[in-house]
Amino acid sequence: MSDATLHATDQNPDDFAVQIADQVESFLVAVTEVAKGDEPGSAVPFLLLEVSQLLLAGGRLGAHEDIVPDERYEPDTGPDVDVDGLRENLARLLDPVDIYSEVFDPYEPRKAPVPARISDDLADVITDLRHGMAHYRAGRTTEALWWWQFSYFSNWGSTASATLRALHSVLAHIRLDQPLDELDGLDTDQGVGDDTLEFEAGKVMEEEIAEQLGLGGRPAH
C-alpha cells in the first residue's frame, strides 16, 4: 500500500484502524528520516517527540479489548526488512548518548539495571511495526491490529517506553544544566549476548552533548 493508498479517501479518518496505522506509518517514516543524519542537531528532540506520539498509539491499543485475528495461523508476510543499516546510522548519530541503563521489569524484585542502546531499541520497535504494517498493506487490517497489540504488550511497548525515558533524560540533563555522570565500563555485552557491542565512555559533560545536539548552553547566571 502506497502512502496515497494508506490515506485513501474511502477510508474513514475516524476509524480506529486507520488512526493507528497512520501513527505507525508516521513513526516509521520519521525515524527513517532521522537516521539519514541530515539534521543531527535535532535528532534527540525529534526522536523524543516521535516516540511519545507512538506510545499514544500503543496506549490506545493497550486499552482496547483483545483483538482476535481472522485466521487461526498468521499469514506469511515474507522476510522482515533488514534494519542493520538504520541501526548503525542511529548509533553513529546518537554517540555518545546511545547507551543507557534500564530496569527490564520494575515489578521483579532485586533486578539489576542492564545496559541498552537507543539505536537497538528503535530498530527493534521498527521491526515489530513494519511486520504489522505488512499485514495492513495487504488488506489484513484485523491481523495488523492484532499484531500491533500483541507486540505492544510483549515487546515494543516496553522497549519504546525505556527509549523515551532515555531520550527524556538526555534532554533533561542539558536543559537543567546537570552534567551526566561517568559512563566508564558500561557496555551492552552484559546480559545482551552480542559480543560485538562494547562501550567505554569517559566523562560525558553537558557542554559536549549540547554542542552535538545543537543545543546551546544556558546563559551564565
Side-chain angles (χ1 to χ4, degrees):
M1 178 183 294
S2 67
D3 186 63
T5 306
L6 188 63
H7 301 277
T9 56
D10 60 345
Q11 291 182 314
N12 183 354
D14 295 326
D15 184 77
F16 178 77
V18 173
Q19 291 177 355
I20 296 298
D22 280 350
Q23 288 179 289
V24 168
E25 180 76 3
S26 176
F27 179 83
L28 294 174
V29 171
V31 176
T32 300
E33 288 299 312
V34 170
K36 293 179 180 178
D38 294 337
E39 298 183 18
S42 60
V44 169
F46 196 61
L47 288 173
L48 178 70
L49 175 62
E50 292 302 321
V51 175
S52 298
Q53 292 177 333
L54 176 66
L55 284 171
L56 173 59
R60 295 183 66 194
L61 286 165
H64 198 281
E65 62 184 6
D66 287 349
I67 299 168
V68 180
D70 296 328
E71 301 179 29
R72 181 176 180 182
Y73 299 103
E74 181 184 6
D76 184 16
T77 61
D80 290 332
V81 178
D82 181 64
V83 296
D84 285 346
L86 181 142
R87 186 197 317 271
E88 293 168 1
N89 288 342
L90 287 172
R92 286 191 294 268
L93 189 63
L94 296 171
D95 183 69
V97 297
D98 191 24
I99 292 187
Y100 68 97
S101 296
E102 169 62 7
V103 176
F104 182 72
D105 189 336
Y107 283 99
E108 290 189 20
R110 297 180 296 279
K111 288 292 184 179
V114 296
R117 284 185 183 268
I118 296 175
S119 55
D120 285 346
D121 289 350
L122 290 174
D124 196 21
V125 170
I126 283 179
T127 298
D128 274 347
L129 298 180
R130 281 180 174 172
H131 187 86
M133 185 58 71
H135 286 305
Y136 188 80
R137 288 173 171 163
R140 297 186 291 268
T141 301
T142 303
E143 191 75 33
L145 289 175
W146 168 82
W147 172 259
W148 285 327
Q149 186 186 60
F150 167 76
S151 56
Y152 169 74
F153 285 121
S154 63
N155 185 47
W156 73 260
S158 58
T159 301
S161 297
T163 305
L164 181 67
R165 289 194 297 273
L167 293 167
H168 171 270
S169 181
V170 171
L171 287 183
H173 277 287
I174 294 171
R175 299 293 174 85
L176 299 178
D177 290 332
Q178 297 175 345
L180 295 177
D181 293 331
E182 288 190 12
L183 301 177
D184 288 323
L186 179 64
D187 71 78
T188 53
D189 286 344
Q190 302 172 358
V192 176
D194 187 345
D195 292 335
T196 67
L197 296 179
E198 185 173 341
F199 182 86
E200 293 182 357
K203 186 78 171 178
V204 181
M205 300 300 291
E206 173 189 347
E207 291 80 5
E208 296 174 353
I209 302 172
E211 180 180 355
Q212 177 186 340
L213 301 180
L215 299 171
R218 292 172 60 185
H221 297 294

